Amino acid sequence: MKTMLPASTSPGTLVDGMTATRPYHHGNLREELLREGERALESGGAAGLSLREVARAIGVSHAAPRRHFADKQALLDALAEAGFARLGADLDRVVDEAGPGSGEQLAALARAYVSFAGAHPALLELMFAAKTQADAPPQLRDAAERAFAAPLAVIAEGQARGDIVAGYHERVAKFAFATMHGLVAMANTGMLPAEATDAFIDEASVHLMQGLRPR
Amino acid sequence: MKTMLPASTSPGTLVDGMTATRPYHHGNLREELLREGERALESGGAAGLSLREVARAIGVSHAAPRRHFADKQALLDALAEAGFARLGADLDRVVDEAGPGSGEQLAALARAYVSFAGAHPALLELMFAAKTQADAPPQLRDAAERAFAAPLAVIAEGQARGDIVAGYHERVAKFAFATMHGLVAMANTGMLPAEATDAFIDEASVHLMQGLRPR
DNA sequence: ACCTGAACACCGTTCAAGT
DNA sequence: ACCTGAACACCGTTCAAGT
């Protein structure tokens, strides 16, 4: 995380002759792998991400990433973990800023989740896949849990206030999450009309609270 | 589709000597590729499916599939299309068998969808991914549309009867599908307790109709 | 401590050639 | 018409060796 080293010089700046050699110590490789890895992820999905291509883009040998990430999955897991930290920060913030009603808070969470998904679709897909791996690393599970702490609290507090139907709050939260997960999957695969996604999400928040029976 | 040829002899039955050669014409290759392809799909997902491995398992050269499927995606698309045909048949059937109420019909559809997902998790994931491809083949899109005709009709008829909230029926159906898609994604990745999935789905059907506000 | 280069065992795809 | 075998350009992973 420390960025006290001189900003990593791009290989291009060194090529003033055929004999120019790259500096032996790259210095910042781990951060650069994460940055370039996320770029590659968004451009072609987790399956399409090539570790060798990421290494080439940074200008190190294809074996260099191994010092920092044991294999491709380790890089993906690290990207997912960082993603959960950012998503969690977003969700915490919008709950703080939203009004006191559960409906409002859930709608704000829905907007923030969909907004994150729109900005980083492949990352969010990876995050879901990574955390549901049978052998997901504990740090990843913890980051995911922290990210969803705010939504879970919104549900529990809504129940305490009588805004939300009674029942084990984790089960109610899982239902709400299923709806969000489905909406985001549809939005990111073009199943929702792009120009009306916001309106659709707001309508969905109402359906989530009010249900599909007539009112 | 015609199976008038002698049932494809497994290579094993021919190996009574070192000089045994496989029959030149396999005869049934397309069907076998689909069958073995689906087996491989369920054992390792679409990304993990290897065309060469499928060919090896059947006993043909790695280039043989090309006569029947131009590339790996073409095989996956064919598997997805067949999957939609089967799913559609299931959904049609349960709607016929269910009572007249929209709640009952939607719950029956939910159970059938989740049941299909449980039996063929990787196939259902592929089906969703395949049909949302930008360049999905028309037959695949048509098969998907036919599969969801019954749920769409249930929504529209429910609205006509006053069982379901008013609004453009495709938009309401998309919301219901989002919930189902999310529930299935969670069930198939272990996010729902395996022993209580059925109860969870039934509860979810009620939430879908009644919403999360207290009643 | 950090990275390189060669090597291994895989891929998907292409194509001339065989029957 | 249907399939084979060699070839090409990729992968991820491993490991001895270099600085």
Side-chain angles (χ1 to χ4, degrees):
Chain A
M1 290 297 184
K2 293 173 188 155
T3 52
M4 294 183 287
L5 299 166
S8 76
T9 53
S10 104
T13 63
L14 290 171
V15 178
D16 52 349
M18 297 300 285
T19 58
T21 51
R22 283 195 302 267
Y24 177 72
H25 284 90
H26 192 277
N28 228 4
L29 187 50
R30 203 192 123 95
E31 323 305 319
E32 296 220 39
L33 285 167
L34 288 170
R35 188 186 46 69
E36 179 62 28
E38 185 162 340
R39 208 203 52 70
L41 175 70
E42 289 301 346
S43 97
L49 182 149
S50 153
L51 221 44
R52 292 177 96 114
E53 199 173 26
V54 167
R56 268 197 302 274
I58 296 178
V60 294
S61 84
H62 65 266
R66 193 145 208 269
R67 287 292 127 188
H68 303 279
F69 302 103
D71 55 21
K72 180 177 165 176
Q73 190 58 51
L75 173 60
L76 294 177
D77 286 346
L79 287 172
E81 188 183 332
F84 276 118
R86 282 145 58 192
L87 174 63
D90 286 1
L91 298 186
D92 288 352
R93 186 170 39 71
V94 299
V95 170
D96 275 356
E97 294 170 2
S102 297
E104 265 182 60
Q105 289 174 348
L106 287 180
L109 282 168
R111 280 191 295 267
Y113 191 70
V114 171
S115 166
F116 186 94
H120 321 285
L123 178 59
L124 190 65
E125 196 178 327
L126 168 66
M127 286 157 62
F128 183 82
K131 84 154 173 169
T132 55
Q133 286 175 120
D135 55 347
Q139 318 96 284
L140 177 58
R141 289 182 195 275
D142 290 349
E145 203 169 326
R146 276 194 298 275
F148 292 115
L152 210 58
V154 164
I155 301 276
E157 289 164 17
Q159 291 180 310
R161 266 200 313 264
D163 277 358
I164 292 178
V165 65
Y168 181 44
H169 70 290
E170 290 213 19
R171 229 164 56 221
V172 174
K174 275 181 182 169
F175 174 78
F177 176 74
T179 301
M180 293 311 308
H181 181 79
L183 287 171
V184 157
M186 292 172 79
N188 285 344
T189 53
M191 289 183 70
L192 303 184
E195 77 282 4
T197 298
D198 288 356
F200 192 95
I201 299 302
D202 284 344
E203 187 181 296
S205 297
V206 175
H207 284 153
L208 181 61
M209 286 302 287
Q210 304 292 328
L212 293 185
R213 59 136 192 37
R215 349 180 228 287
Chain B
M1 291 296 183
K2 293 175 188 151
T3 51
M4 294 183 285
L5 299 165
S8 76
T9 52
S10 105
T13 63
L14 290 171
V15 178
D16 51 349
M18 297 300 286
T19 59
T21 52
R22 284 195 302 267
Y24 177 72
H25 285 90
H26 191 278
N28 229 4
L29 188 50
R30 204 192 123 94
E31 323 306 319
E32 296 220 39
L33 285 167
L34 288 170
R35 188 187 46 67
E36 179 62 27
E38 186 162 341
R39 208 202 52 70
L41 175 70
E42 289 301 346
S43 97
L49 182 148
S50 152
L51 222 43
R52 291 177 97 114
E53 201 173 25
V54 167
R56 268 196 302 274
I58 295 178
V60 294
S61 83
H62 64 266
R66 194 150 207 265
R67 286 293 127 188
H68 303 280
F69 301 103
D71 55 22
K72 179 177 165 176
Q73 190 57 51
L75 173 60
L76 294 177
D77 286 347
L79 287 172
E81 188 184 331
F84 277 118
R86 282 146 58 192
L87 174 62
D90 286 0
L91 298 186
D92 289 352
R93 186 170 38 72
V94 299
V95 171
D96 275 356
E97 293 171 2
S102 297
E104 267 182 60
Q105 289 175 348
L106 287 180
L109 283 168
R111 280 190 294 267
Y113 191 69
V114 170
S115 167
F116 186 93
H120 322 284
L123 178 60
L124 190 65
E125 196 179 326
L126 168 67
M127 286 157 62
F128 183 82
K131 83 156 173 169
T132 56
Q133 286 174 121
D135 55 346
Q139 316 95 285
L140 177 57
R141 289 182 194 275
D142 291 349
E145 203 168 326
R146 277 194 297 275
F148 291 116
L152 210 57
V154 164
I155 301 275
E157 288 164 17
Q159 292 180 308
R161 265 199 312 261
D163 277 357
I164 292 178
V165 64
Y168 182 42
H169 71 289
E170 292 213 17
R171 230 164 56 223
V172 174
K174 275 180 183 170
F175 174 78
F177 176 74
T179 301
M180 292 311 309
H181 182 78
L183 288 171
V184 158
M186 292 172 79
N188 284 345
T189 53
M191 289 183 70
L192 304 184
E195 76 282 4
T197 299
D198 288 356
F200 192 95
I201 298 301
D202 285 344
E203 186 181 295
S205 297
V206 175
H207 283 153
L208 180 62
M209 286 303 286
Q210 305 293 328
L212 293 186
R213 58 127 192 48
R215 353 178 222 287

